[in-house]
Amino acid sequence: MTNTTVEPDEATRLRNKVVDELRAGGDISSPEIEAVMRKVPRHAFIPDTPLDKAYDTYAAVITKTDEHGVQLSSVSAPQIQAMMLEQAQVKPGMRVLEIGSGGLNAAYLAELVGERGEVVTVDIDPVVTERAHRLLDEHGYGRVRVVTADAAEPIPDLGEVDVVMVTAGAWDIAPVWTAQLKQGGRLVVPLRMRGLTRSVAFTQITGEHGPYLESVSALICGFVPMQGSTAHREELLLVNGTPEIGLKFDDGLPADPHRLDNAVTFPRHELWTRVVIGLSELIDTLQMAMAISLPGFCTMAVDEDLDTGLVAPVNKRFALAAVEDDTFAYLVTRRTEDNKHIEYGVHTLGPNAKQFADQVADVLRDWEASRRGGPSPIIRVYPANTSDDQIPADRVIDKVHSRVSLSWPSA
């Protein structure tokens, strides 16, 4: 028995409360998405989940893990689902391909496209697709076509679609996603760039040298990573050869990672930048500024069981960091005297600690002066064989199937 029959009144109340919160926060702006998120019983697609967890506005529900506890499948938080549905701009009569199936999002899409439209949802895991097929049938969405396949390969009998929505974290853009997209169609994908994930809404544009994708919006998000042929793991560099300090690189390790072996034998240099932000201020553009400006950008994690205090990040699981030759740096914060703001600082270890701290601090100060509160970088995706002279960019990230360019909009 599901929660649908046990507590229908309470479920409806909680669902409306979630939608009210998302409207107030600006995550839902269109009446169509508000209507479908009020209508579709979210809890029915997460059986055996307590109602308060099913209707947590900002928390995903994990539906499958491997033997090591690694998350393999989840139902995204309502906030993330609303955000991506707004980005997708699905209209009645459209044909939509969803990559990464769970059932709930496909039900939302089926409501948005209506009887004249079509939704195909694909997942590589047969356990996930069997579950999605069963739940969609049980709750009146049997017209959704559920396919078990690696979505990096062509989907049989699919044809062109108006929207491709990817609901698993992607490191690369598979060529078939754009090949299946109608001219002027929209691709919404949680794309990982230099370790930072953004839900990016792309439109396909035909340029002088051929078609490419250009971002319309890019919003912070987090997702269970893609499986199959387009899966990609970050590479981990253990500083000084111990598991205490790990630097994670999304696009390959430094040319000579052993240059960092002695970095922790130097005294830690600490620099406070006087870059101050509000406690709830978004730092998405600050993250991107570091990723674009620092060639050795990475993230740092500290094993709490082995922590000796060599480094002191505020968040031991995730700190923005960078490497230059034999020295590494990471960001820290501290509360201001009024306890209403935080100031950014830089810690560096290595023989060139002071110089590198100044370099990283300059990136933060430049962000404060020219990027803070402004638009995100424009993200463009080109085929992998596109030459440098055809890509306008402040930073180009080479992947297997694509070249991703990041460019700040003109002031």
Side-chain angles (χ1 to χ4, degrees):
M1 183 179 291
T2 69
N3 291 334
T4 313
T5 56
V6 175
E7 298 177 285
D9 293 338
E10 178 65 2
T12 300
R13 185 188 73 79
L14 290 172
R15 187 161 61 255
N16 285 329
K17 179 174 178 288
V18 166
V19 175
D20 290 343
E21 288 179 1
L22 293 174
R23 282 190 60 201
D27 297 290
I28 293 178
S29 57
S30 63
E32 295 82 6
I33 292 170
E34 177 185 348
V36 301
M37 292 194 74
R38 290 192 191 279
K39 177 180 180 180
V40 178
R42 174 181 171 86
H43 62 287
F45 290 86
I46 324 171
D48 306 316
T49 301
L51 284 178
D52 59 338
K53 292 188 176 180
Y55 287 104
D56 186 323
T57 306
Y58 301 102
V61 176
I62 305 305
T63 56
K64 185 177 180 181
T65 59
D66 67 11
E67 65 274 18
H68 305 294
V70 176
Q71 299 173 5
L72 298 178
S73 181
S74 69
V75 174
S76 296
Q79 185 262 340
I80 294 292
Q81 290 184 311
M83 180 181 81
M84 293 185 72
L85 289 170
E86 290 285 358
Q87 287 183 300
Q89 296 188 358
V90 175
K91 306 297 181 188
M94 281 188 171
R95 302 186 72 246
V96 180
L97 171 64
E98 180 194 32
I99 296 170
S101 189
L104 175 60
N105 199 62
Y108 291 146
L109 293 169
E111 290 285 351
L112 290 169
V113 302
E115 294 292 338
R116 295 184 295 106
E118 183 181 354
V119 176
V120 178
T121 183
V122 181
D123 201 282
I124 197 170
D125 189 333
V127 174
V128 172
T129 51
E130 186 280 329
R131 178 177 175 277
H133 192 280
R134 172 173 52 82
L135 291 172
L136 286 163
D137 277 352
E138 286 178 1
H139 299 288
Y141 299 98
R143 66 184 184 275
V144 174
R145 180 185 167 200
V146 183
V147 178
T148 305
D150 185 340
E153 304 297 327
I155 306 301
D157 304 317
L158 178 66
E160 287 190 328
V161 297
D162 299 281
V163 174
V164 175
M165 177 180 279
V166 183
T167 58
W171 179 78
D172 201 355
I173 302 294
V176 295
W177 299 350
T178 51
Q180 293 163 157
L181 203 57
K182 288 182 179 178
Q183 179 65 31
R186 184 163 287 215
L187 167 66
V188 179
V189 54
L191 183 62
R192 198 169 82 235
M193 299 160 288
R194 312 210 78 197
L196 305 175
T197 302
R198 300 290 186 269
S199 176
V200 188
F202 288 108
T203 56
Q204 192 160 222
I205 294 174
T206 300
E208 180 182 351
H209 303 287
Y212 64 92
L213 299 171
E214 183 168 300
S215 63
V216 177
S217 63
L219 305 168
I220 288 180
C221 66
F223 269 85
V224 172
M226 187 80 65
Q227 300 178 59
S229 59
T230 54
H232 179 85
R233 291 184 178 274
E234 295 173 311
E235 293 188 68
L236 179 65
L237 173 60
L238 298 178
V239 177
N240 205 31
T242 73
E244 178 186 351
I245 305 167
L247 300 177
K248 297 179 181 180
F249 293 85
D250 205 31
D251 306 298
L253 295 174
D256 187 0
H258 293 294
R259 296 279 290 164
L260 281 177
D261 284 352
N262 295 317
V264 295
T265 65
F266 290 80
R268 186 170 74 211
H269 179 73
E270 301 182 0
L271 170 67
W272 291 100
T273 64
R274 296 185 182 178
V275 174
V276 175
I277 67 169
L279 294 178
S280 59
E281 184 174 340
L282 291 177
I283 61 166
D284 55 334
T285 54
L286 172 58
Q287 293 177 340
M288 295 305 293
M290 289 189 64
I292 290 171
S293 303
L294 298 169
F297 177 80
C298 58
T299 60
M300 185 181 77
V302 180
D303 188 319
E304 296 191 47
D305 294 331
L306 302 173
D307 186 9
T308 63
L310 284 169
V311 293
V314 176
N315 185 339
K316 294 186 185 297
R317 293 184 179 183
F318 181 90
L320 300 177
V323 169
E324 185 171 80
D325 195 26
D326 52 9
T327 301
F328 73 96
Y330 60 92
L331 292 194
V332 292
T333 59
R334 65 183 179 187
R335 291 287 185 103
T336 55
E337 289 185 5
D338 63 7
N339 209 35
K340 296 179 180 179
H341 302 82
I342 58 173
E343 179 187 3
Y344 276 102
V346 183
H347 287 183
T348 46
L349 291 97
N352 297 295
K354 184 181 184 306
Q355 298 94 312
F356 195 35
D358 289 340
Q359 181 181 336
V360 175
D362 284 344
V363 172
L364 270 69
R365 292 171 183 139
D366 179 70
W367 166 81
E368 181 182 44
S370 58
R371 306 296 178 194
R372 182 177 178 180
S376 298
I378 298 170
I379 305 165
R380 298 183 179 92
V381 178
Y382 299 85
N385 60 358
T386 306
S387 62
D388 288 345
D389 62 348
Q390 297 173 19
I391 302 178
D394 295 307
R395 169 71 57 186
V396 175
I397 307 168
D398 286 310
K399 300 179 182 285
V400 175
H401 300 294
S402 64
R403 306 191 74 191
V404 178
S405 82
L406 304 171
S407 302
W408 290 108
S410 299

